[in-house]
Amino acid sequence: MQKLVKLTKQQWQWIFYDWANSGYGILVVTAVLPVYFKAVAQHAGISAADSTAYWGYANSFGTLVVSLLSPLLGALADYPQAKRKWLNLFAWSSIILTVGLALVPTNMWRLLLVIFILSIIGYSGGNLFYDSFLTDVADDLQMDMVSSTGYGMGYLGGVIAFIVFLTAQLSNGFGGLLSSYGIAKFSFWIAAIWWGIFGWPLLRHGRQRYNVPSAENPVRDSLRRIKETLKHIRRYRQIYWFLIAYFFYIDGVDTIFTMATSIGKDLGVNTTTLMLVLLVVQLIAFPFSVLYGWLARRLSTKKAIIIGIVIYIFICIYALHLKTMFDFWLLAILIGTSQGGLQALSRSYFGQPVPKDSSSEFFGFYNILGKFSAILGPLIVGVVTQWTNQSTVGVASLSVLFLFGLIIFWLLPSTD
């Protein structure tokens, strides 16, 4: 059983980066841009089903790029003082592109998708380096707590950024100062500024404790190290099989997260209600992410992760019976109870056995499987939605992936 310890300044800097980029996560990826894109696309004559599918395809393509680059980027970040440099490059690129979303004319839906794809590459790539910093700021006994607190504070930061946007939404653009499209663009400015301000401590002061020796040709040496890791990956039995399990179950988690508002619109839920539902989900996710850290200490990290996967299987199956607003609220609340906790403990479960001096390289493989699986999920939902014309059937199909992940993960040893 793990003991509670006081968080250090470096750990709080790491935690607040999650607080910082959660504004992008909730406003751009989940709440506003999907709805805004559907409105812009449908105004251009694109059907509701097709706009949902295009949004899924855009998410898939963006994550594909990051997935292919992740192992090399991770290996490059393991050299002395390289991790923070790469984090800055990807984070600031995405922040600038988020501002770009607000500058795209409302009749250019294709350009909107292109800039979103580029921004999600920066966001996802930055998270690779952020996640790998976990091994630099926390030892094995602290990882569950620090990772869970990071996710919890991330949701809380997202809530506050979201409330600023919601104020504009419910006040009709501050009394008519902003149009409906102007409110959406305002949210993109919020996300970018929020990220830059609160991410600054880690971006400026992040300290890398572990690294591999410097190399004359970092790219060539990184490729050599990746080849060696792949050659001997089976020596890391727990890591190897966890990544396979993670590939399956995180697919559903990411897909539900990125497609939630588009699916809600297809079910006829109005925009204001969707925004309120997402706010409640964020508020619930904050304490429950921390609760999952407590469950990991009381039960074990493995058992807490299994609980989260089982809840998601129920969510997928129940989606087939989604008919009333009560059903929609119930599923949203269930997502809020488990999304952050499952992601946080997966990160710490993986971070404990990895070699600390090569943590970014290993998190590159963690990222490639997490993100590569997320290509499949939105693609499945997009295809099944177009085939059946029912978003709920697409969500239900994700239960198979959760089940595969659960079976494989069940057979792994506990890290505690």
Side-chain angles (χ1 to χ4, degrees), residues 56-67 117-118 120-121 374-375:
Y57 299 152
N59 276 280
S60 294
F61 183 76
T63 52
L64 172 63
V65 173
V66 175
S67 296
I117 290 170
L118 294 174
I120 200 71
I121 289 171
I375 299 167

Side-chain angles (χ1 to χ4, degrees), residues 109-147:
W109 66 271
R110 292 181 181 85
L111 179 59
L112 192 67
L113 269 190
V114 169
I115 293 181
F116 166 69
I117 290 170
L118 294 174
S119 74
I120 200 71
I121 289 171
Y123 170 75
S124 300
N127 281 342
L128 184 165
F129 309 114
Y130 166 69
D131 286 343
S132 68
F133 255 119
L134 178 60
T135 60
D136 294 291
V137 302
D139 60 32
D140 290 350
L141 293 179
Q142 296 174 305
M143 280 190 189
D144 286 335
M145 179 188 65
V146 174
S147 184

Side-chain angles (χ1 to χ4, degrees), residues 297-317:
R297 293 192 297 272
R298 296 288 295 179
L299 303 176
S300 76
T301 309
K302 180 180 178 181
K303 291 178 181 177
I305 290 174
I306 288 173
I307 291 172
I309 297 174
V310 170
I311 290 174
Y312 263 100
I313 292 175
F314 176 80
I315 289 170
C316 293
I317 295 173

Side-chain angles (χ1 to χ4, degrees), residues 130-248:
Y130 166 69
D131 286 343
S132 68
F133 255 119
L134 178 60
T135 60
D136 294 291
V137 302
D139 60 32
D140 290 350
L141 293 179
Q142 296 174 305
M143 280 190 189
D144 286 335
M145 179 188 65
V146 174
S147 184
S148 297
T149 303
Y151 265 98
M153 291 296 289
Y155 282 115
L156 184 59
V159 164
I160 297 174
F162 188 69
I163 287 175
V164 176
F165 156 73
L166 206 58
T167 300
Q169 176 80 10
L170 298 179
S171 66
N172 193 29
F174 300 115
L177 291 176
L178 298 173
S179 65
S180 58
Y181 283 176
I183 295 171
K185 293 184 175 185
F186 173 68
S187 74
F188 306 148
W189 280 100
I190 296 172
I193 294 171
W194 192 268
W195 192 348
I197 291 175
F198 292 107
W200 177 250
L202 182 66
L203 294 171
R204 177 67 179 85
H205 301 290
R207 184 167 56 88
Q208 184 175 342
R209 284 199 297 167
Y210 304 104
N211 55 260
V212 297
S214 299
E216 183 177 344
N217 189 323
V219 174
R220 181 185 302 169
D221 189 59
S222 294
L223 291 173
R224 178 192 60 78
R225 287 166 45 221
I226 292 170
K227 181 180 179 180
E228 287 296 310
T229 299
L230 288 172
K231 183 178 179 180
H232 302 295
I233 189 68
R234 288 182 180 273
R235 294 179 182 177
Y236 304 95
R237 179 179 177 274
Q238 181 177 336
I239 295 173
Y240 176 79
W241 283 106
F242 170 74
L243 287 175
I244 295 175
Y246 180 74
F247 173 86
F248 286 109

Side-chain angles (χ1 to χ4, degrees), residues 83-100:
K83 195 175 295 186
R84 182 163 58 88
K85 295 177 182 178
W86 283 103
L87 176 60
N88 270 272
L89 174 63
F90 276 76
W92 285 112
S93 295
S94 188
I95 290 170
I96 293 170
L97 287 162
T98 301
V99 173

